[in-house]
Amino acid sequence: MVSSADGAVSAGGAGSGGLSTPADRALFRALRRSADCVLVGAGTARDEDYRGVRPRRPGPDGRQPGPPPVVVVTGSAGLDPGARLFTDTVTPPVVLTTTAAPADRRAALAAAGADVVLLDDLSPTTLLTALGRRGHTSVLCEGGPTLLGALVRADVVDELRLTLVPVLVGGPERRIATGPDPLPVPRALRLAGHEAAADGTLLLHYVRATAGIPAAPNG
């Protein structure tokens, strides 16, 4: 996830791409290469014109494993079958939706090459269970804030890779994770690593801590 120094997740009308720096893009590619799949909300996939993950580099044995699929979460199946997500990819995308989504939309996405998976609901537990059954246990979530917020609330986030970019954005921009209410007790993280790029970009690696931190006193 990428954020400005004052907490914005987008800038200049260009989504998170308006904030990304060379160091962030290098980390972005490395994380994708190591993941089983890339999980993203439909709004982010549309707004940032997602395409498939680029092929991985050959390993020490010379083999070149296929890139991980982009997995899109959408309750309405409201994706454009002509988008780059479907037309500019090596590995077909996976669309997680429900039987409540219009059948014609689901059929159009399947015809465009997507692996359309019907679930009872789109709760974090249901999503991760479905992905686990497919062998996707290392799940890289790239947002957006609503999806990440749901994962945080469900307490299924084990690591956070946060890029802080040295710019101020101001305005009403959202944070990296949003939801209807704050957590009753803030969830503690432990800093596992950090790197500062020459341009001032900070690459922060947090992991789950063993216990929560005390809630702030009322008033």
Side-chain angles (χ1 to χ4, degrees), residues 98-155:
T98 71
T99 53
D104 58 336
R105 291 184 182 177
R106 300 188 331 241
L109 297 180
D115 182 2
V116 179
V117 180
L118 300 182
L119 302 174
D120 293 333
D121 60 76
L122 298 179
S123 67
T125 299
T126 300
L127 296 176
L128 295 179
T129 298
L131 293 175
R133 287 173 179 160
R134 292 166 170 263
H136 300 327
T137 56
S138 177
V139 178
L140 173 63
C141 177
E142 294 183 350
T146 301
L147 177 58
L148 181 58
L151 297 176
V152 168
R153 176 160 288 278
D155 195 18

Side-chain angles (χ1 to χ4, degrees), residues 70-202:
V70 174
V71 180
V72 184
V73 181
T74 169
S76 65
L79 298 168
D80 178 5
R84 291 200 305 168
L85 178 66
F86 305 98
T87 63
D88 186 8
T89 186
V90 175
T91 304
V94 178
V95 175
L96 301 182
T97 189
T98 71
T99 53
D104 58 336
R105 291 184 182 177
R106 300 188 331 241
L109 297 180
D115 182 2
V116 179
V117 180
L118 300 182
L119 302 174
D120 293 333
D121 60 76
L122 298 179
S123 67
T125 299
T126 300
L127 296 176
L128 295 179
T129 298
L131 293 175
R133 287 173 179 160
R134 292 166 170 263
H136 300 327
T137 56
S138 177
V139 178
L140 173 63
C141 177
E142 294 183 350
T146 301
L147 177 58
L148 181 58
L151 297 176
V152 168
R153 176 160 288 278
D155 195 18
V156 293
V157 176
D158 295 320
E159 297 185 47
L160 174 65
R161 296 281 190 154
L162 176 62
T163 297
L164 284 181
V165 180
V167 297
L168 298 174
V169 174
E173 295 294 340
R174 294 188 295 172
R175 299 178 301 167
I176 63 169
T178 60
D181 299 296
L183 297 176
V185 177
R187 197 154 292 136
L189 299 173
R190 177 174 60 83
L191 184 64
H194 64 280
E195 180 181 347
D199 64 359
T201 298
L202 291 179

